[in-house]
Amino acid sequence: MDQTKRQPRRMGWRFAFLAVLVAVAISGLVRSLWLDVYYIPSESMEPVLANGDRVLVSRTGFHAEPIRRGDIVVFDGRGSFAPLNSGKGPLLDSLAAAGQWLGLAGSDTTYVKRVIGLPGDTVVCCDADGKITVNGGALDEPYVFGGDSPSTQVFSAVVPDGRLWLLGDHRSASADSRSLLGAPGGGMVPMDRVLGRPVQIVWPLDRFAAVPRPPAAGSTTENGQ
């Protein structure tokens, strides 16, 4: 009698465990191929993305259309913004990865910034009006954090083939391509390191909103204009 009672219980636990494994596997597949969740760990992209926001990131967001100037991108910064050997050891790295997977923590090697320079562009700060120019034309940047100037750091950079020049919207609180001008690679991020495009703020609920994308006109990697 006891055995017949225990058998269904065992089968129930096995079924529940199997269901959890299948759910995790499906979630992992979806997040590796289509949609992921990213935790915003700083103020560098305010006001569009705030510290503590959780955003859905489309991993296929640039498959149909190429990256545009003005796009916000999530990217793997190893080799450009972060050392290639970034890490704190297997145990801490595993715990950090779990927190990132659950959308509870940011990453030391994954970043979110805005594309200012595309391959072939010449990006300069600043013109007589204090605006950043790309290929001689002044950028209109309505997304820059209120009270910030486009940049207080003077620079001139030519973006190589297959690379991007990236800045945060909260310019006074962002470590970005400007900070790495003297480093190997000059702060230019390889395009194949782009993981996806933020498409929706999902948490906190009072900030639930789509992440806007700039218009397509004149901002594709194909023409560099």
Side-chain angles (χ1 to χ4, degrees):
M1 192 71 175
D2 288 342
Q3 288 182 348
T4 57
K5 286 182 179 177
R6 288 174 186 169
Q7 188 69 15
R9 286 180 184 173
R10 280 201 214 102
M11 291 184 65
W13 279 110
R14 287 175 184 169
F15 179 79
F17 182 67
L18 181 61
V20 169
L21 284 181
V22 170
V24 170
I26 292 173
S27 175
L29 183 64
V30 168
R31 294 179 66 170
S32 64
L33 297 177
W34 294 289
L35 278 174
D36 203 353
V37 178
Y38 180 69
Y39 174 88
I40 304 298
S42 75
E43 299 83 18
S44 71
M45 285 302 295
E46 291 178 338
V48 175
L49 301 176
N51 188 0
D53 283 352
R54 275 75 166 178
V55 296
L56 282 182
V57 177
S58 171
R59 288 186 174 269
T60 60
F62 299 121
H63 287 189
E65 299 179 56
I67 296 172
R68 304 171 189 163
R69 188 177 303 118
D71 271 329
I72 298 174
V73 296
V74 174
F75 62 97
D76 180 352
R78 287 175 296 179
S80 57
F81 276 47
L84 281 169
N85 61 348
S86 298
K88 300 174 182 177
L91 179 59
L92 290 178
D93 286 349
S94 297
L95 291 173
Q100 293 154 26
W101 197 85
L102 293 170
L104 301 175
S107 166
D108 291 336
T109 59
T110 304
Y111 298 80
V112 57
K113 301 293 177 187
R114 191 180 295 272
V115 176
I116 301 300
L118 296 165
D121 283 347
T122 299
V123 186
V124 175
C125 177
C126 285
D127 66 8
D129 296 321
K131 292 187 173 184
I132 291 174
T133 67
V134 177
N135 304 328
L139 284 185
D140 181 25
E141 299 190 279
Y143 42 75
V144 171
F145 187 79
D148 274 7
S149 62
S151 179
T152 57
Q153 180 178 347
V154 176
F155 59 81
S156 178
V158 178
V159 187
D161 231 14
R163 302 256 172 169
L164 300 170
W165 174 270
L166 306 171
L167 297 179
D169 289 353
H170 193 168
R171 299 286 159 83
S172 63
S174 177
D176 43 44
S177 290
R178 296 170 298 172
S179 309
L180 298 163
L181 282 168
M188 315 287 185
V189 175
M191 295 180 73
D192 60 11
R193 290 282 186 171
V194 173
L195 302 175
R197 180 172 66 86
V199 293
Q200 182 78 35
I201 301 170
V202 294
W203 188 264
L205 292 179
D206 61 352
R207 286 184 48 77
F208 188 88
V211 178
R213 193 177 185 198
S219 298
T220 69
T221 57
E222 294 176 339
N223 57 28
Q225 299 300 312

